Amino acid sequence: MSVSQEQSTSVVMPKPTVGSAVGLVLPGGGARAAYQVGVLKAIAEWMPGMPNPFPVIVGTSAGAVAATVIGTEAFRWQYAVQALENVWANFHVEQVFRSDSLQMMRAGLHWATSLLSGGMLMAPPRALFDNTPLRQLLKERIQFRHLQRSLATGALRSLAICASSYTSASSVAFFQSAETVADWERHQRIGRRCHLHLDHVMASLGVPLLFPPVKLGHEFYGDGAQRQLWPLSPAIRLGADRLLIVGVRSQLGAGVPTRPRVTRPPSAGQLFGYMLDTLFMDQIFANIEHVEWLNQVASVAPDAVPGIRKVATLMIAPSRDLREIASRHMRELPRPVRALLNVMGAGGRGGAQLSSYMMFEKAFTSELIDLGYRDACAKREQLLDFLSGKPISDSSTMPLPPDQASGTHRSKQK
């Protein structure tokens, strides 16, 4: 890539350029994460027999599942994508949390008894749902012993799983890396090197109220999106020069109707769906907008921040409103779950936003995989150029935020 230069008085400063190390960033989204599988499926089909194009992989919440599967199997990443598709295309709610009538009744009685007795007769439940089935599924499907092989062979440089500490109120990126990357700590943002295992994934999946928190060391952790003000930061700190972000909501589809008709206040279920939508995607878009602004500063004054390097980003997100797709599949949910949604005021089309995050049913997830595949194919040339390391114009790159311009040491690629 050629380096342009700017004359500033007597000093000639080179403009920051974009490297070729690609980071894959997979945010959370519950059942909507099936869309990410469709995008990865398309990329894997375009690169048969090619090595893993994502040396740095970062996942949060449901995105942590795909990130971990691809990362652990990076030495055979096409196989990993196929394995992901096989699971997501045949999903059932019972594989994620216990949803039979007896379990729902027990959960309801537990909550009611705890509330009515003020916690005297029975302590409040840890969560609404028991996600033991999901833990068992992931235990069978994810081979953490393969992660070291992926790192040792150079198929992967770093894998990070993000969770939120309920003790320190910080967003923690637990990472395992073949690179010499030091731990980092900023305001409510921590990077911690460790040997990743299933509890890290389950902690990242711990959506507040829905799924229980997980204890790691001396702290309890929950869904990684809760305190994640800079969701792109971990991938950048781990050495990625260009970030492919696979979202679960288009920027314009911000979880509200395009033509709002206000007839009554939103129900608890609708508010909870709105909260999940905010939790999983708003920080991503805000982070992208901020670094776009920083990119403009770097283009005008490349010597303003010593040692700055640009990081290009490319985001692919659903071309359709996933609430509309969810509303057509409401009947696919188990009856006890539908009953719960109705009690919460999230039944029917009005509850499509919340149900779209909980609809782990193959009719819905298969349609999202197909949508992700088609959306990726529509951007095939752009995606392949981005992944192959082709030069990127200044207008499409983003610089490293100022507080991250230094502090990460990367060893030479082996």
Side-chain angles (χ1 to χ4, degrees), residues 90-110:
N90 296 283
F91 240 139
H92 292 289
V93 167
E94 289 82 1
Q95 294 174 289
V96 179
F97 57 88
R98 291 174 177 165
S99 59
D100 57 277
S101 298
L102 181 59
Q103 180 66 28
M104 293 291 100
M105 185 180 299
R106 284 176 176 172
L109 289 173
H110 191 158

Side-chain angles (χ1 to χ4, degrees), residues 16-327:
T17 56
V18 179
S20 59
V22 181
L24 176 64
V25 179
L26 299 176
R32 290 186 176 203
Y35 177 85
Q36 299 171 340
V37 178
V39 173
L40 293 170
K41 175 185 175 181
I43 295 173
E45 287 186 3
W46 303 337
M47 298 181 169
M50 297 291 288
N52 171 39
F54 309 112
V56 176
I57 302 177
V58 178
T60 301
S61 194
V65 175
T68 303
V69 172
I70 300 297
T72 54
E73 305 292 337
F75 61 92
R76 51 174 184 173
W77 73 281
Q78 288 95 345
Y79 164 84
V81 173
Q82 185 179 13
L84 274 173
E85 183 189 5
N86 290 339
V87 172
W88 279 93
N90 296 283
F91 240 139
H92 292 289
V93 167
E94 289 82 1
Q95 294 174 289
V96 179
F97 57 88
R98 291 174 177 165
S99 59
D100 57 277
S101 298
L102 181 59
Q103 180 66 28
M104 293 291 100
M105 185 180 299
R106 284 176 176 172
L109 289 173
H110 191 158
W111 278 102
T113 303
S114 177
L115 288 172
L116 291 175
S117 68
M120 297 289 291
L121 296 178
M122 188 174 288
R126 297 176 65 210
L128 182 61
F129 298 123
D130 178 358
N131 62 351
T132 302
L134 179 58
R135 173 180 281 274
Q136 185 59 37
L137 175 66
L138 298 182
K139 182 178 180 180
E140 295 171 356
R141 299 283 179 166
I142 300 177
Q143 306 296 325
F144 280 95
R145 67 181 184 276
H146 290 175
L147 178 54
Q148 189 56 46
R149 178 178 176 182
S150 291
L151 293 169
T153 59
L156 179 74
R157 278 168 39 184
S158 301
L159 170 65
I161 300 172
C162 300
S164 298
S165 169
Y166 288 124
T167 302
S168 66
S170 297
S171 173
V172 182
F174 296 98
F175 69 92
Q176 193 166 334
S177 178
E179 302 281 310
T180 307
V181 183
D183 290 2
W184 66 84
E185 185 167 353
R186 290 290 186 270
H187 177 64
Q188 294 186 326
R189 288 182 287 126
I190 297 173
R192 187 171 297 163
R193 179 186 286 272
C194 64
H195 287 283
L196 297 173
H197 51 77
L198 183 56
D199 280 347
H200 291 106
V201 181
M202 295 305 298
S204 186
L205 289 165
V207 179
L209 300 180
L210 293 185
F211 300 136
V214 175
K215 190 174 184 180
L216 296 169
H218 301 291
E219 300 179 53
F220 279 95
Y221 291 84
D223 194 285
Q226 293 179 83
R227 313 291 301 194
Q228 204 174 37
L229 301 179
W230 286 83
L232 305 183
S233 172
I236 296 172
R237 283 196 166 273
L238 292 171
D241 299 307
R242 47 184 76 194
L243 306 179
L244 175 62
I245 307 147
V246 187
V248 295
R249 190 199 78 206
S250 64
Q251 188 167 11
L252 298 179
V256 294
T258 53
R259 296 180 181 179
R261 291 180 294 175
V262 180
T263 58
R264 55 185 176 182
S267 66
Q270 290 171 326
L271 288 173
F272 192 57
Y274 186 82
M275 183 201 77
L276 291 179
D277 200 73
T278 302
L279 180 71
F280 291 133
M281 288 305 300
D282 281 4
Q283 294 96 324
I284 288 281
F285 290 117
N287 197 176
I288 289 176
E289 287 183 359
H290 186 70
V291 291
E292 281 179 340
W293 177 80
L294 289 173
N295 184 60
Q296 295 176 15
V297 173
S299 295
V300 174
D303 57 337
V305 181
I308 195 170
R309 63 182 176 90
K310 286 190 174 182
V311 177
T313 63
L314 177 60
M315 183 169 188
I316 183 166
S319 58
R320 295 176 56 192
D321 190 335
L322 301 191
R323 293 170 299 169
E324 295 179 1
I325 299 176
S327 66

